[in-house]
Amino acid sequence: MNYLFFSLAFMGLHTLAYMGAGMIALSISSDLYKGKERILDFLVDPEEEGGVGLKVIPAQIIRGLIMSVVLYPILDFLSEISFLTQFLFFAGLTFIYTDLSSGDPFPSNIEGWVYMKKDYLSRKAFWKIQTEMIIYSGIFGLLAAWLLV
């Protein structure tokens, strides 16, 4: 498989899925990210800090590149498995490694429940973030299985 094509496609699909899931999820979880009384007040409010929007796409392109490179050793294997298995692999990989089992503490992952102050841990925040991550993982898994390998 062509590594350059794979990485470029991965970066594009990841960024598209990330932005799409974010737009969908923001409609149900704006109380997490926006306003003075937002639940995740340790994050920048996109409406107060004008530069966040300018950083999102380049950041996702870099993340996509990094995530794609670590898959190079198994590209041949990925091209041999069924669409359903590819979907489950990519969706599971993005959900588990970019969220639930991430090493950075956040209210939606295992490390967050260990290391974060209780003020930031709530079922409401957990499930809203999980909804966003499930949407992202599903979109990315489908696109990757369909178009990537």
Side-chain angles (χ1 to χ4, degrees):
M1 167 154 286
N2 181 325
Y3 294 141
L4 178 61
F5 171 78
F6 177 79
S7 285
L8 290 173
F10 193 104
M11 290 183 295
L13 295 176
H14 160 71
T15 302
L16 181 68
Y18 181 90
M19 299 297 288
M23 286 187 274
I24 293 167
L26 195 56
S27 66
I28 61 166
S29 60
S30 63
D31 60 328
L32 296 178
Y33 306 107
K34 291 183 176 182
K36 295 211 183 289
E37 300 299 318
R38 65 187 177 276
I39 295 170
L40 304 177
D41 63 357
F42 57 89
L43 296 176
V44 173
D45 181 337
E47 294 176 355
E48 292 175 5
E49 304 277 339
V52 172
L54 299 175
K55 296 175 188 174
V56 171
I57 292 177
Q60 297 318 310
I61 290 170
I62 293 167
R63 286 183 70 213
L65 175 62
I66 294 167
M67 289 188 287
S68 74
V69 169
V70 300
L71 296 175
Y72 286 176
I74 62 168
L75 288 184
D76 289 338
F77 169 73
L78 289 174
S79 65
E80 297 171 5
I81 59 178
S82 71
F83 175 85
L84 178 61
T85 305
Q86 286 180 22
F87 164 71
L88 292 172
F89 173 79
F90 283 113
L93 185 74
T94 53
F95 180 72
I96 299 299
Y97 284 99
T98 66
D99 184 55
L100 192 60
S101 292
S102 172
D104 295 325
F106 204 67
S108 63
N109 65 33
I110 295 165
E111 291 293 299
W113 286 85
V114 172
Y115 294 107
M116 293 191 75
K117 292 179 178 181
K118 300 295 181 217
D119 296 347
Y120 294 109
L121 301 175
S122 71
R123 289 176 195 248
K124 179 180 178 181
F126 178 84
W127 287 112
K128 284 187 175 195
I129 298 166
Q130 289 306 324
T131 300
E132 182 175 354
M133 291 310 300
I134 289 167
I135 293 168
Y136 159 72
S137 298
I139 292 171
F140 182 76
L142 283 172
L143 289 174
W146 181 39
L147 300 171
L148 207 49
V149 286

